[in-house]
Structure formats: C-alpha cells, structure tokens
Amino acid sequence: MTVRNPAAAWSLAADASRRIGRAVEYHLEIGSTNDRARGALAEPNGEGLAVVADLQTAGRGRQGRGWLSPPGVNLMCSIGLRPHIPASQAGLLGLATAVAALDACRPWALLQIRWPNDLVASDGSKVAGLLIETALDGERISAAVLGIGVNVNWRRADMPAGIAETATSLQDLAGESVDRVALLARLLAALDDEVTRLESGSSPVERYRAASWLDGRQAHIDLGDRRLDGVVAGIADDGSLLVDGPGGRVALSHGEVVRVDPTRVPAGVEVAS
Ligand code: BTN
C-alpha cells in the first residue's frame, strides 16, 4: 500500500489501544516538537500523542544546545505524559526512554547508551539524543515530555563538518535506507511498554546497564562548576554514573561527558590500529 499523504503515512505508526502513541500528529515544519507535545498535554486526549515533524526550526538539545536535522530524513518525535511515578524517580524516565529507543532501533543497528541518554554506535558515534523535560509538583511529576531525535537517513557523508566527526545514522549502520514510520511504530510500542513497567515499580536500570557504552572507559566529565577525570565503573540503581576519580568513587546524577580516552577501552573491545 502506498500512502502519499505524510500525515496519513505517519498515522500508520499509531495504535489507538495504547496510551503512548494512540495517535500521531504530523507537522511539515514546527519550532520544537517538545513544545507542541507539552501544549497538547493541556488538551483533551493530549497525553500520549506522538508529535512528529519533518523539520524543526528551533529544535532543542540537552544543556541548552540546538538539535540540527535537515528536513524529511530523520525522526523527531515528542510525547507528553503525566507519569504515575514519584519525582524521586524522574531520572528513571530518561533511562526507560533510552532503553525503548535502543530497542526500537534494533532491526537496523545494535546501539549502546552513552550516559545519560545518547544512543551511540560501537565507536561512540552518536545516532540519537533524548531531551526529557519534567515539571514537578511537590513529590510528584505533574508533566513530562519525552523528546527523541534519531539520525535515520542522514548519511554521514551529508552531515556538516562538526557533526560528521561525532555522529552517524541508522542508514549508515544498516547499509540501506530506513523506514521512519516503521521505526516510530517500534519506538511508540517500546515506550508504552517501558513506561508501563516503570509505573508498576519495575526499574529499567538492568536493561540500561546491559547497554552502557561508557563502562570501563576513561572519561572527562563536565560538572558545570568543575571537571572530573576518571574511569567509569558503572550505573547506580538511580541511574547515576559511577566514576572512579582521583578522590575515590563518586556517583554523578548530572553532567556531560566531554571526552573519552580512545586508548583506554573496556575488556573485550578491539581498537583499530
Ligand atoms: C541531545 O542529544 O542533546 C538531545 C536531542 C533531542 C532532540 C529531539 S528532536 C525531537 C525533540 N524536539 C526537540 O526540540 N528536541 C527533541
């Protein structure tokens, strides 16, 4: 079946029986899908609506960065939620989203997660990023927006310098173009599953740990007011990064990995010579 109307094509990823992704709202162009998903939360049936766009004119990344994508080749999607988890578990929502996105990409590439929630290829090249925005009301999360950007059919050869050095795409890894609607359908199903599990008290941390790319690597981490150099020891139960630094082991709940030593790799990983 050929569907020429893009809104109708993207709607094929929806499943009315689910909470996340019960409907898909397509935009040819939008500022940021995260803003629209947050706005939709104030509308009847806005929770779980998947907002997708072919182009974002003000796409946002983490740490105040932008998110750049040419039109019509990648997946840019946001979902607004009122999750039934305590504010203390807000970090686990990011882990659950990362695990779901990883699972969604599996038919095309076996990715790993670089803390806190970048999806990367085995050489550390970034394929996807997540922007999780939460609003707290005392001890509970009053609203959350799960924003997911995946480099799908944006070939590294077409990326601008500055991005091409550190990024790749599913198409590059799979060796063929990837059906974005099929990817979205998998993503929404996996997200619905992970969020349901989290709400029923089951943590995604074991699945996250199994995919953690940083373990055993020497990392340089920007903590805002200072930098920490150390070897990554793993992921704590609350999703914090465990780092063995000069002063002993620390658990980082936030921060940005700015560099990873390419010469120090975990056991079992081969380095090209
Ligand atoms: C990052 O790696 O810094 C996070 C990038 C998140 C990008 C996605 S694209 C869909 C959604 N809308 C946005 O404005 N940002 C997220």
Side-chain angles (χ1 to χ4, degrees), residues 177-194:
S177 79
V178 171
D179 180 343
R180 291 185 298 157
V181 176
L183 174 63
L184 178 65
R186 287 186 57 88
L187 175 65
L188 297 175
L191 272 174
D192 197 54
D193 195 38
E194 282 295 340

Side-chain angles (χ1 to χ4, degrees), residues 152-233:
V152 183
N153 293 314
W154 193 19
R155 294 176 312 161
R156 202 171 202 164
D158 298 327
M159 293 177 187
I163 293 184
E165 289 91 62
T166 58
T168 187
S169 68
L170 289 182
Q171 179 173 354
D172 282 325
L173 295 167
E176 60 185 12
S177 79
V178 171
D179 180 343
R180 291 185 298 157
V181 176
L183 174 63
L184 178 65
R186 287 186 57 88
L187 175 65
L188 297 175
L191 272 174
D192 197 54
D193 195 38
E194 282 295 340
V195 170
T196 303
R197 285 205 222 189
L198 181 59
E199 289 181 332
S200 65
S202 166
S203 168
V205 75
E206 281 306 332
R207 290 184 291 288
Y208 184 102
R209 278 187 186 124
S212 176
W213 184 80
L214 279 174
D215 288 28
R217 296 183 194 263
Q218 173 95 34
H220 308 266
I221 300 151
D222 184 356
L223 300 174
D225 53 349
R226 65 193 172 94
R227 279 199 178 185
L228 174 72
D229 284 3
V231 175
V232 174

Side-chain angles (χ1 to χ4, degrees), residues 30-35 51-53 56 58-69 75-79 117-119 126 128-133 145-150 256:
I30 198 169
S32 162
T33 54
N34 265 37
D35 292 341
V51 180
V52 294
Q56 293 188 121
R60 291 199 301 278
R62 293 177 61 248
Q63 311 271 342
R65 292 186 298 257
W67 181 256
L68 187 71
S69 167
L75 178 62
M76 289 169 281
C77 172
S78 301
I79 298 120
N117 48 30
D118 286 347
L119 300 194
K126 182 163 169 171
L130 311 181
L131 180 65
I132 314 294
E133 298 178 314
V145 176
L146 316 181
I148 302 120
V150 186
E256 191 70 5

